[in-house]
Amino acid sequence: MIKSSSFSLHGSLWANKDKLFSNLKLNIKFNKWTIIIGQSGAGKSTLLKIIANLNIPDTFTNNIYKNTNIDLSFSWMAQNDLLLPWLNVIENVTLGQKLRREKINLNKANILLEKVGLINVANHLPSTLSGGMRQRVALARTLMEDNDIILMDEPFSALDTMTRSKIQKLTWSLLKEKTVIMVTHEPLEALLLSDNLYYIHNKQLKPIKLPKTKPLRKINSENVLYCHEYILKLLKKSYTL
Amino acid sequence: MKTFIKFLFSFVIFIVTWWIIQYLTKTPSYILPSPYIVLLSIMNNLDLLIYHSFITFYEILIGFLLGIIFGMYTGILFIISKSTRRWLLPFIILTQAIPIFAIAPILTLWVGYGIWSKIIMTILIIYFPITISFYDGLKRIDPMIVNLAKLMGANTFTMLLKIRIPFALPQLSSGLKLAAAFAPMGAVIGEWVGSSKGLGYLMLYASGRVQIDLMFASIIILAIFTVTLYNIVTVVTNQLTKWDPKSHLN
């Protein structure tokens, strides 16, 4: 379906009178993970919403346009898993088909639940699951939709350290072939997962040079640790309290 | 079943307390009849009570159902149309500012002596709590869930039916319970103001003839009906909000 190998974003974004992005340029490569690091309130989530054509609050003004001639479909994964509390796990995974009144593909849903290791709780309500499990349900739901682009808004930030690392690995292994745009404020997470990495500096997106190794990078390699230090230094300069 | 037993237990305690008070203070039965005398009165006037009860119950139930339909419809309108919200909301609050007793005679004048003035009274009393609770529930949804459903290709109708309305059910439940408790009031006030049948009429009739036992009998029957209606609504809403741990305190 997707013919070109990338699409790009251009434009500026204001919140009230404050400029958040000025002449933003961002190139998104298909089938790669693009990650943006930035401070809270820097407009990261709003940028994702603009990419997905979602409504943003009236306080924002934006003239960002997408340089693409194909109709892209989007999935959304956020810190809050956005599961519907009255639907059980399998119903949440198949929600998209139900909303579009399509035939529900239970077979595929079961295979995906197997992949994320939740087949034994398929009939449980989200409120009975742990945060990590809920995020895995959200992952299965994303896979079920199989959209062109997956937008991730700090998807792992609500999880404890051990769970986060496991879910990062699982998410990466299941979505590595996909086009992912993620925003985060975790430099290490960004470093381990990204094919292309940017940080927000002076209302622009600046690329960060990554180690030559491919994701999923290992935290214990020297290159990665060195790069982590480097990113922290960069961010120190761009962050304001 | 458990709810019913608890309810029965409270009811027995209430009756016993009433009896003890009446017995100890030796209040004459034309001021406070004992439960036994009221029971006798219920037995003696059974046909009369059944006839008038059914009329009142009918008015309450029709008013209750119509009030729920109108209230939910308005709540949905408020969510999907900003201008409706802006124009209709102040008017709805205004209807609540006018005492219901003041509206009752006008309603009787307009729609007549029959059951419809009582049904409209009931609707007027419960319309507000249902509209407001449902509207509050509808707007409380996480906007990202709405966005997620949009990205999944939901249209306005499926969004309402599958996402927004289920999400609003815990709040709507509070409105429905308030409505169940208030609905009988609407019908009875309507009957007081002008009617020739119904429990409200019977109360006035009995009071005018100093048949305090019959008046108490009417009140007891109305109270039992109200509590039953409330409990039925609670059972139904508990089923609808099973998924919401906050709706179920133990």
Side-chain angles (χ1 to χ4, degrees):
Chain A
M1 284 298 249
I2 297 168
K3 285 188 184 97
S4 58
S5 67
S6 71
F7 76 99
S8 55
L9 294 172
H10 301 270
S12 303
L13 174 70
W14 292 262
N16 293 320
K17 289 280 174 326
D18 300 325
K19 212 166 200 181
L20 291 177
F21 291 111
S22 152
N23 294 321
L24 168 99
K25 283 189 196 73
L26 178 63
N27 201 41
I28 306 287
K29 290 200 178 74
F30 289 123
N31 308 105
K32 297 280 181 200
W33 283 48
T34 304
I35 301 191
I36 299 166
I37 313 178
Q39 216 174 341
S40 313
K44 296 175 304 210
S45 308
T46 310
L47 187 64
L48 286 188
K49 282 183 194 159
I50 291 169
I51 295 175
N53 303 321
L54 292 173
N55 292 334
I56 52 173
D58 292 337
T59 49
F60 289 97
T61 325
N62 99 87
N63 61 7
I64 294 173
Y65 67 95
K66 272 183 289 187
N67 186 6
T68 170
N69 47 11
I70 33 177
D71 235 350
L72 296 168
S73 59
F74 297 92
S75 288
W76 189 280
M77 284 183 75
Q79 174 183 351
N80 172 348
D81 43 69
L82 303 174
L83 299 179
L84 298 185
W86 59 90
L87 298 181
N88 66 27
V89 166
I90 193 109
E91 288 165 339
N92 263 295
V93 171
T94 54
L95 176 67
Q97 292 178 328
K98 197 166 141 199
L99 288 177
R100 294 187 295 273
R101 295 162 186 274
E102 289 167 2
K103 200 171 171 287
I104 286 169
N105 189 345
L106 274 181
N107 223 356
K108 187 180 173 189
N110 278 319
I111 290 169
L112 291 173
L113 280 182
E114 191 88 58
K115 274 188 185 171
V116 298
L118 290 176
I119 195 74
N120 52 334
V121 293
N123 297 318
H124 287 46
L125 287 179
S127 56
T128 63
L129 305 179
S130 70
M133 291 165 111
R134 293 169 62 114
Q135 204 53 295
R136 279 186 278 160
V137 180
L139 179 61
R141 182 182 58 193
T142 305
L143 287 162
M144 189 78 190
E145 289 294 287
D146 201 16
N147 285 327
D148 300 327
I149 292 178
I150 296 156
L151 302 166
M152 297 193 186
D153 186 4
E154 299 178 11
F156 312 117
S157 60
L159 304 171
D160 63 85
T161 316
M162 291 314 294
T163 315
R164 186 192 310 167
S165 145
K166 279 186 182 164
I167 304 258
Q168 274 170 0
K169 280 179 189 140
L170 180 71
T171 308
W172 185 81
S173 66
L174 292 173
L175 296 176
K176 58 189 168 190
E177 310 291 321
K178 310 276 181 194
T179 311
V180 171
I181 308 172
M182 187 198 293
V183 299
T184 179
H185 46 226
E186 283 283 333
L188 189 62
E189 172 177 285
L191 183 56
L192 297 181
L193 296 170
S194 60
D195 291 294
N196 296 291
L197 182 56
Y198 296 87
Y199 76 112
I200 301 171
H201 181 63
N202 271 341
K203 303 173 175 44
Q204 304 270 340
L205 288 176
K206 304 273 191 199
I208 294 176
K209 198 163 181 296
L210 287 164
K212 290 221 166 56
T213 50
K214 292 252 163 273
L216 182 76
R217 295 188 182 87
K218 289 218 164 56
I219 189 164
N220 50 11
S221 96
E222 217 166 281
N223 284 340
V224 169
L225 286 174
Y226 177 77
C227 192
H228 186 226
E229 286 290 310
Y230 171 67
I231 296 173
L232 286 179
K233 260 182 219 162
L234 285 178
L235 292 179
K236 227 177 221 169
K237 279 187 232 159
S238 70
Y239 269 46
T240 50
L241 272 181
Chain B
M1 200 58 209
K2 235 176 169 177
T3 331
F4 180 72
I5 290 167
K6 276 185 210 154
F7 162 58
L8 205 68
F9 185 69
S10 327
F11 186 71
V12 168
I13 289 194
F14 171 71
I15 297 289
V16 170
T17 318
W18 170 9
W19 211 325
I20 290 172
I21 289 174
Q22 200 275 336
Y23 181 78
L24 290 180
T25 58
K26 304 239 177 327
T27 315
S29 62
Y30 58 83
I31 291 178
L32 179 68
S34 75
Y36 177 67
I37 290 174
V38 174
L39 184 70
L40 276 185
S41 165
I42 293 178
M43 304 294 246
N44 291 338
N45 300 299
L46 204 56
D47 290 343
L48 189 72
L49 282 166
I50 288 176
Y51 170 74
H52 289 288
S53 299
F54 269 96
I55 288 161
T56 305
F57 296 168
Y58 182 74
E59 291 162 356
I60 294 171
L61 285 179
I62 299 284
F64 187 63
L65 290 177
L66 288 178
I68 292 172
I69 292 169
F70 290 145
M72 285 182 69
Y73 180 73
T74 317
I76 289 171
L77 267 186
F78 280 2
I79 273 295
I80 55 182
S81 155
K82 205 173 175 178
S83 54
T84 315
R85 184 163 70 232
R86 226 170 255 170
W87 292 105
L88 206 56
L89 192 56
F91 179 72
I92 287 171
I93 296 169
L94 194 74
T95 63
Q96 292 303 301
I98 302 168
I100 205 79
F101 270 101
I103 302 178
I106 304 171
L107 271 177
T108 313
L109 184 70
W110 286 349
V111 290
Y113 222 54
I115 59 166
W116 277 100
S117 57
K118 287 83 193 170
I119 291 173
I120 293 174
M121 284 289 290
T122 310
I123 294 173
L124 277 179
I125 273 197
I126 69 163
Y127 176 69
F128 189 71
I130 290 187
T131 304
I132 296 299
S133 64
F134 193 43
Y135 168 57
D136 262 354
L138 285 170
K139 72 179 178 189
R140 218 167 265 203
I141 192 168
D142 179 350
M144 271 326 293
I145 287 185
V146 175
N147 280 335
L148 184 85
K150 255 186 221 166
L151 290 178
M152 286 175 164
N155 58 31
T156 315
F157 182 71
T158 47
M159 182 80 85
L160 264 176
L161 206 65
K162 309 266 186 205
I163 310 278
R164 283 188 182 278
I165 293 179
F167 213 89
L169 287 178
Q171 259 89 14
L172 177 66
S173 301
S174 314
L176 288 175
K177 286 179 201 167
L178 284 178
F182 289 160
M185 197 161 75
V188 169
I189 291 174
E191 287 169 357
W192 278 348
V193 168
S195 73
S196 53
K197 45 197 172 179
L199 283 176
Y201 161 77
L202 195 61
M203 281 177 212
L204 280 188
Y205 172 89
S207 150
R209 279 159 190 74
V210 208
Q211 293 183 330
I212 304 302
D213 51 342
L214 183 58
M215 199 175 139
F216 268 76
S218 314
I219 293 174
I220 294 261
I221 287 173
L222 188 69
I224 291 173
F225 177 79
T226 307
V227 174
T228 310
L229 181 67
Y230 181 87
N231 279 324
I232 291 170
V233 168
T234 306
V235 168
V236 172
T237 56
N238 280 350
Q239 278 299 314
L240 290 175
T241 59
K242 239 183 183 169
W243 50 271
D244 182 33
K246 286 180 216 152
S247 296
H248 303 274
L249 286 177
N250 284 319

